[in-house]
Amino acid sequence: MTERTDVRLELLTGEQALARRAELIDLYREVFTGPPWNEGEGEVAEFGVRFAADAARPGFRAVLAVDDAGPCGFGTAWPTATPLPQSRSYGKVLAALGPDGVSRMLAGALQVDELAVAPRARGRGLAGRILHLLCGQSRGWLLTSVNAPDAIRLYERLGWQRAGENDGIVVFIKPE
C-alpha cells in the first residue's frame, strides 16, 4: 500500500503562473502524452506558447497542486471573451450551443481551459478540489473530448451539466 501525502493547492495570478511555467509544461507533458490524449512533443510545445499568452489574459487564474513529490495537478481559467474568438475550439463550442446558448450560458462565465492531474495523484479528489478553488462560486464552463470517458464521468460526478456536443467535444457548464 502506498502512503498518501497531503496536497497543497496554490491559487496563482498570471504573473505567478508564468514563474512556474516550466513545472506546468512538465506536468502537461506527463498528463497529456498518455491515453486518451496521446499528444506529442509538438502539442506540448504549443501548450507552452499558448500558456504564456493565456497567462496575460485579463482575469487569468491558475491553481497548482503540489505534494511531497512536487507538482501533481493544475487548472487554468479566465473570464469568457464575448463574442467568442475564432481560434482554438471556439467554433465547435459555438456550433454545439448556438449563438443564443453561448450568450446565455458562457458570457461572463469562467472558461476552464486546462485541468490536469498526474497519474500518481489520481483518485484523491484532486481534480474536484482544483476546480472548486479555480471557479469558486462563479459560473464556469469547460470542454473535453468525447474520447475521454473518465473526464466526462468526473465532471458529471461533480455536478457539471452537459450543455452540448459537437465534432468530438462535449461542453460542460458548472451550475451556479
Side-chain angles (χ1 to χ4, degrees):
M1 184 170 158
T2 60
E3 183 178 323
R4 292 190 173 189
T5 59
D6 288 329
V7 177
R8 181 179 74 254
L9 299 182
E10 303 172 20
L11 183 59
L12 308 173
T13 64
E15 185 176 314
Q16 292 167 328
L18 280 174
R20 310 288 294 270
R21 183 174 173 224
E23 293 171 288
L24 293 170
I25 291 171
D26 287 345
L27 191 51
Y28 183 95
R29 177 181 291 108
E30 181 180 356
V31 172
F32 291 106
T33 57
W37 313 107
N38 301 311
E39 293 188 3
E41 283 303 313
E43 287 93 352
V44 173
E46 286 174 16
F47 166 74
V49 171
R50 192 173 67 238
F51 178 77
D54 291 341
R57 290 176 184 262
F60 174 91
R61 62 181 82 170
V63 172
L64 180 61
V66 181
D67 66 11
D68 292 342
C72 58
F74 76 93
T76 61
W78 55 81
T80 302
T82 51
L84 288 179
Q86 300 293 313
S87 60
R88 295 187 177 178
S89 296
Y90 291 116
K92 293 179 182 183
V93 172
L94 182 59
L97 303 180
D100 291 339
V102 166
S103 177
R104 185 172 30 84
M105 292 185 266
L106 307 187
L110 278 177
Q111 172 185 339
V112 177
D113 185 60
E114 298 290 351
L115 179 63
V117 176
R120 67 180 167 77
R122 293 182 184 153
R124 300 189 223 176
L126 189 52
R129 289 179 56 204
I130 291 170
L131 281 172
H132 180 74
L133 184 56
L134 197 58
C135 297
Q137 298 303 311
S138 301
R139 289 183 311 119
W141 70 278
L142 56 80
L143 59 93
T144 194
S145 171
V146 296
N147 298 318
D150 290 344
I152 291 170
R153 281 190 297 275
L154 167 73
Y155 302 134
E156 289 173 340
R157 189 173 62 248
L158 293 174
W160 290 59
Q161 300 166 350
R162 283 181 189 236
E165 190 173 318
N166 178 60
D167 195 21
I169 60 113
V170 181
V171 180
F172 279 91
I173 303 295
K174 176 186 168 283
E176 290 183 73

